[in-house]
Amino acid sequence: MFAFAPPRRSRRPSLTPMIDVVFLLLVFFMLASQFGKDTALRLSGAGGGQAYAGPPRLVEIAPDALALNGAPVPLEGLADGLAPLMADPGDTVVLRGREGADVQRLLDVAGVLRAAGLTALTVVE
């Protein structure tokens, strides 16, 4: 009779090359992507301890409203409301967040004031 070779066991595919490719892709995308743009907001008064002089220029920032020295003001009219109180664009404007106001709202207000030419913004608690 015929003598056939003993049947071979089927080989299982190796997952090692696939794992290597997955990790290479993971590392590539982690190094090639940008997770977010870091923005810096320069604020004055970082040294603290300086006495504040001049007319009050307090902007209170709530989640849905703004107040300039206690009087409600829209975001678009904030720079116009501050104009009579400012002798120089370098005068200090104090920003204070109220409960529920987030950092993005503060940055939006600061951006509007920067666009209006105001250069000295101070954030207080």
Side-chain angles (χ1 to χ4, degrees), residues 21-35:
V21 169
V22 168
F23 278 119
L24 285 173
L25 287 173
L26 178 67
V27 169
F28 172 76
F29 285 117
M30 286 177 60
L31 294 176
S33 65
Q34 289 183 346
F35 292 109

mmCIF file of all heavy atoms in Angstrom, residues 21-35:
data_model
loop_
_atom_site.group_PDB
_atom_site.id
_atom_site.type_symbol
_atom_site.label_atom_id
_atom_site.label_comp_id
_atom_site.label_asym_id
_atom_site.label_seq_id
_atom_site.Cartn_x
_atom_site.Cartn_y
_atom_site.Cartn_z
ATOM 1 N N VAL A 21 2.422 46.559 13.534
ATOM 2 C CA VAL A 21 1.872 47.583 12.637
ATOM 3 C C VAL A 21 0.909 48.489 13.392
ATOM 4 O O VAL A 21 0.927 49.716 13.229
ATOM 5 C CB VAL A 21 1.179 46.924 11.425
ATOM 6 C CG1 VAL A 21 0.372 47.938 10.630
ATOM 7 C CG2 VAL A 21 2.204 46.241 10.547
ATOM 8 N N VAL A 22 0.081 47.931 14.243
ATOM 9 C CA VAL A 22 -0.871 48.733 15.013
ATOM 10 C C VAL A 22 -0.124 49.711 15.916
ATOM 11 O O VAL A 22 -0.472 50.895 15.999
ATOM 12 C CB VAL A 22 -1.813 47.822 15.820
ATOM 13 C CG1 VAL A 22 -2.594 48.621 16.845
ATOM 14 C CG2 VAL A 22 -2.753 47.091 14.892
ATOM 15 N N PHE A 23 0.906 49.249 16.589
ATOM 16 C CA PHE A 23 1.659 50.151 17.466
ATOM 17 C C PHE A 23 2.414 51.214 16.666
ATOM 18 O O PHE A 23 2.507 52.363 17.090
ATOM 19 C CB PHE A 23 2.613 49.360 18.364
ATOM 20 C CG PHE A 23 1.928 48.793 19.569
ATOM 21 C CD1 PHE A 23 1.882 47.432 19.766
ATOM 22 C CD2 PHE A 23 1.320 49.615 20.503
ATOM 23 C CE1 PHE A 23 1.246 46.897 20.867
ATOM 24 C CE2 PHE A 23 0.678 49.098 21.608
ATOM 25 C CZ PHE A 23 0.642 47.734 21.790
ATOM 26 N N LEU A 24 2.935 50.865 15.510
ATOM 27 C CA LEU A 24 3.593 51.866 14.677
ATOM 28 C C LEU A 24 2.602 52.943 14.221
ATOM 29 O O LEU A 24 2.919 54.137 14.210
ATOM 30 C CB LEU A 24 4.265 51.214 13.476
ATOM 31 C CG LEU A 24 5.568 50.464 13.774
ATOM 32 C CD1 LEU A 24 6.033 49.719 12.534
ATOM 33 C CD2 LEU A 24 6.630 51.428 14.250
ATOM 34 N N LEU A 25 1.405 52.527 13.833
ATOM 35 C CA LEU A 25 0.382 53.497 13.440
ATOM 36 C C LEU A 25 -0.025 54.372 14.624
ATOM 37 O O LEU A 25 -0.215 55.588 14.474
ATOM 38 C CB LEU A 25 -0.832 52.785 12.863
ATOM 39 C CG LEU A 25 -0.654 52.178 11.470
ATOM 40 C CD1 LEU A 25 -1.877 51.361 11.101
ATOM 41 C CD2 LEU A 25 -0.419 53.271 10.458
ATOM 42 N N LEU A 26 -0.163 53.774 15.782
ATOM 43 C CA LEU A 26 -0.534 54.527 16.971
ATOM 44 C C LEU A 26 0.518 55.590 17.287
ATOM 45 O O LEU A 26 0.188 56.757 17.518
ATOM 46 C CB LEU A 26 -0.707 53.576 18.157
ATOM 47 C CG LEU A 26 -1.049 54.224 19.490
ATOM 48 C CD1 LEU A 26 -2.430 54.837 19.428
ATOM 49 C CD2 LEU A 26 -0.973 53.201 20.599
ATOM 50 N N VAL A 27 1.766 55.202 17.270
ATOM 51 C CA VAL A 27 2.847 56.153 17.537
ATOM 52 C C VAL A 27 2.883 57.239 16.468
ATOM 53 O O VAL A 27 3.037 58.426 16.773
ATOM 54 C CB VAL A 27 4.206 55.422 17.634
ATOM 55 C CG1 VAL A 27 5.358 56.394 17.633
ATOM 56 C CG2 VAL A 27 4.246 54.548 18.871
ATOM 57 N N PHE A 28 2.696 56.875 15.219
ATOM 58 C CA PHE A 28 2.703 57.862 14.136
ATOM 59 C C PHE A 28 1.608 58.899 14.332
ATOM 60 O O PHE A 28 1.849 60.108 14.245
ATOM 61 C CB PHE A 28 2.530 57.164 12.783
ATOM 62 C CG PHE A 28 2.327 58.130 11.653
ATOM 63 C CD1 PHE A 28 3.392 58.847 11.132
ATOM 64 C CD2 PHE A 28 1.060 58.340 11.129
ATOM 65 C CE1 PHE A 28 3.197 59.745 10.101
ATOM 66 C CE2 PHE A 28 0.855 59.228 10.104
ATOM 67 C CZ PHE A 28 1.934 59.931 9.586
ATOM 68 N N PHE A 29 0.385 58.452 14.607
ATOM 69 C CA PHE A 29 -0.714 59.398 14.744
ATOM 70 C C PHE A 29 -0.588 60.240 16.009
ATOM 71 O O PHE A 29 -1.002 61.401 16.032
ATOM 72 C CB PHE A 29 -2.063 58.683 14.696
ATOM 73 C CG PHE A 29 -2.437 58.252 13.312
ATOM 74 C CD1 PHE A 29 -2.579 56.913 13.005
ATOM 75 C CD2 PHE A 29 -2.610 59.186 12.297
ATOM 76 C CE1 PHE A 29 -2.915 56.515 11.723
ATOM 77 C CE2 PHE A 29 -2.950 58.798 11.012
ATOM 78 C CZ PHE A 29 -3.097 57.457 10.728
ATOM 79 N N MET A 30 -0.015 59.689 17.056
ATOM 80 C CA MET A 30 0.186 60.481 18.261
ATOM 81 C C MET A 30 1.217 61.592 18.028
ATOM 82 O O MET A 30 1.064 62.704 18.519
ATOM 83 C CB MET A 30 0.629 59.593 19.428
ATOM 84 C CG MET A 30 -0.502 58.758 19.985
ATOM 85 S SD MET A 30 0.041 57.670 21.300
ATOM 86 C CE MET A 30 0.658 58.825 22.489
ATOM 87 N N LEU A 31 2.254 61.291 17.274
ATOM 88 C CA LEU A 31 3.285 62.290 17.023
ATOM 89 C C LEU A 31 2.880 63.291 15.946
ATOM 90 O O LEU A 31 3.334 64.427 15.946
ATOM 91 C CB LEU A 31 4.598 61.607 16.626
ATOM 92 C CG LEU A 31 5.261 60.765 17.719
ATOM 93 C CD1 LEU A 31 6.489 60.057 17.167
ATOM 94 C CD2 LEU A 31 5.626 61.623 18.907
ATOM 95 N N ALA A 32 2.034 62.891 15.025
ATOM 96 C CA ALA A 32 1.669 63.753 13.900
ATOM 97 C C ALA A 32 0.464 64.647 14.193
ATOM 98 O O ALA A 32 0.223 65.601 13.461
ATOM 99 C CB ALA A 32 1.383 62.899 12.674
ATOM 100 N N SER A 33 -0.279 64.370 15.239
ATOM 101 C CA SER A 33 -1.503 65.139 15.473
ATOM 102 C C SER A 33 -1.248 66.296 16.424
ATOM 103 O O SER A 33 -0.273 66.324 17.165
ATOM 104 C CB SER A 33 -2.582 64.231 16.053
ATOM 105 O OG SER A 33 -2.188 63.784 17.333
ATOM 106 N N GLN A 34 -2.145 67.269 16.358
ATOM 107 C CA GLN A 34 -2.133 68.380 17.297
ATOM 108 C C GLN A 34 -3.336 68.205 18.199
ATOM 109 O O GLN A 34 -4.466 68.085 17.738
ATOM 110 C CB GLN A 34 -2.245 69.710 16.566
ATOM 111 C CG GLN A 34 -1.009 70.088 15.804
ATOM 112 C CD GLN A 34 -1.167 71.459 15.173
ATOM 113 O OE1 GLN A 34 -2.260 71.994 15.087
ATOM 114 N NE2 GLN A 34 -0.068 72.021 14.735
ATOM 115 N N PHE A 35 -3.092 68.206 19.489
ATOM 116 C CA PHE A 35 -4.180 67.976 20.433
ATOM 117 C C PHE A 35 -4.969 69.237 20.721
ATOM 118 O O PHE A 35 -6.066 69.195 21.210
ATOM 119 C CB PHE A 35 -3.630 67.373 21.724
ATOM 120 C CG PHE A 35 -3.106 65.981 21.533
ATOM 121 C CD1 PHE A 35 -1.761 65.721 21.585
ATOM 122 C CD2 PHE A 35 -3.965 64.939 21.272
ATOM 123 C CE1 PHE A 35 -1.280 64.454 21.392
ATOM 124 C CE2 PHE A 35 -3.494 63.665 21.072
ATOM 125 C CZ PHE A 35 -2.150 63.414 21.146
#
